[in-house]
Amino acid sequence: MINKRFLRDSIMSLVSKLCFIVMLAVSVQLTALAAGPVNILMQTSAGDITLELYPEAAPVTVENFLRLVDGGFYRGASFYRVVRMDNQAQNKIKVEAIQGGLAEAEDDIPLKPIIHETTEATGVLHTDGVISMARMEPGTAKSEFFICINDQPELDYGGQRNPDGQGFAAFGRVIEGMDVVRKIQNMKTEPPPEGELEYTSGQMLIDPVIISNIVRLPVKSGN
């Protein structure tokens, strides 16, 4: 017969080891988040874009983005919407950006919305090349993101692009590849329908730019 005390002690030992592993993993993750900017390589059909993310300023937003990156969820995603001065007649407050993410495929994976980290709280403003989360109501962002072209203060906290005035959650910036971002912005979009225009009319790319992969870049020595 199995010694019940031995079995109990073995189970307790295993539980203790598992708890230690979980605590270690959490510790490693927190250490990584506190270590400074995280560099990301975004490979697209239009060229490569390198980003620098700011986990110290926007920890929740960066952690959510990295979870999708590390899980491979962005492979096969796309940039599908571009906003220029010539394709937003229906938008009272005009901005310039390219938007990407999982689009409709977002519903196929179990994603929870994240809390809204405002620019007032993070200090990361929507300047040229900044990456930020797309959203509907505050606290509804999941996987969709956009990259600013030129400074866009109307997307910051207190800005009027979104009527609630909460702005969007910026969490990093492009450090290489803004030429690729601008090239994507100037690609051909579907003509807007006749009659009343919807919010995104005339802004959807005819040929979306495929994101083949997004990966973390190795931390450079000395960082």
Side-chain angles (χ1 to χ4, degrees):
M1 293 180 65
I2 298 176
N3 186 299
K4 292 184 179 180
R5 181 175 181 180
F6 173 80
L7 181 60
R8 183 191 62 192
D9 291 344
S10 297
I11 292 174
M12 291 299 295
S13 176
L14 179 60
V15 170
S16 297
K17 289 179 180 178
L18 288 174
C19 288
F20 174 78
I21 291 171
V22 171
M23 291 176 65
L24 179 62
V26 171
S27 176
V28 169
Q29 183 179 41
L30 292 175
T31 299
L33 286 177
V38 178
N39 287 354
I40 296 293
L41 175 63
M42 184 181 295
Q43 299 169 308
T44 84
S45 55
D48 292 349
I49 301 168
T50 304
L51 299 124
E52 180 180 74
L53 309 185
Y54 305 131
E56 292 185 25
V60 174
T61 310
V62 170
E63 182 181 4
N64 178 71
F65 189 80
L66 290 177
R67 183 164 58 245
L68 293 167
V69 168
D70 295 339
F73 293 107
Y74 282 127
R75 294 186 191 123
S78 66
F79 284 104
Y80 54 83
R81 179 186 175 205
V82 301
V83 188
R84 303 185 297 260
M85 299 307 289
D86 66 353
N87 69 354
Q88 51 182 322
Q90 69 274 27
N91 303 127
K92 182 178 179 181
I93 303 297
K94 303 186 188 309
V95 298
E96 292 184 276
I98 62 173
Q99 182 174 336
L102 303 176
E104 290 83 1
E106 184 179 75
D107 298 330
D108 297 333
I109 58 177
L111 291 177
K112 292 183 178 180
I114 57 175
I115 64 170
H116 181 55
E117 294 180 308
T118 67
T119 59
E120 183 183 48
T122 66
V124 184
L125 303 180
H126 290 85
T127 53
D128 188 41
V130 159
I131 183 171
S132 187
M133 295 300 291
R135 67 170 178 87
M136 296 299 287
E137 301 298 323
T140 60
K142 291 182 179 180
S143 74
E144 303 304 285
F145 58 86
F146 62 89
I147 298 175
C148 296
I149 291 93
N150 300 321
D151 294 353
Q152 304 299 329
E154 293 293 354
L155 300 176
D156 294 336
Y157 180 83
Q160 296 303 305
R161 176 68 174 189
N162 197 304
D164 59 40
Q166 295 297 302
F168 295 81
F171 62 99
R173 69 181 182 91
V174 174
I175 56 176
E176 290 182 21
M178 273 306 291
D179 57 327
V180 176
V181 173
R182 290 189 167 88
K183 179 169 68 173
I184 294 172
Q185 187 200 22
N186 287 301
M187 289 180 175
K188 291 183 179 180
T189 52
E190 296 177 356
E194 295 183 4
E196 187 174 352
L197 298 178
E198 297 181 357
Y199 193 77
T200 61
S201 292
Q203 300 171 7
M204 311 306 286
L205 287 174
I206 294 175
D207 296 310
V209 172
I210 302 303
I211 299 171
S212 58
N213 204 8
I214 308 180
V215 296
R216 297 196 200 207
L217 293 176
V219 176
K220 293 182 179 180
S221 176
N223 283 3

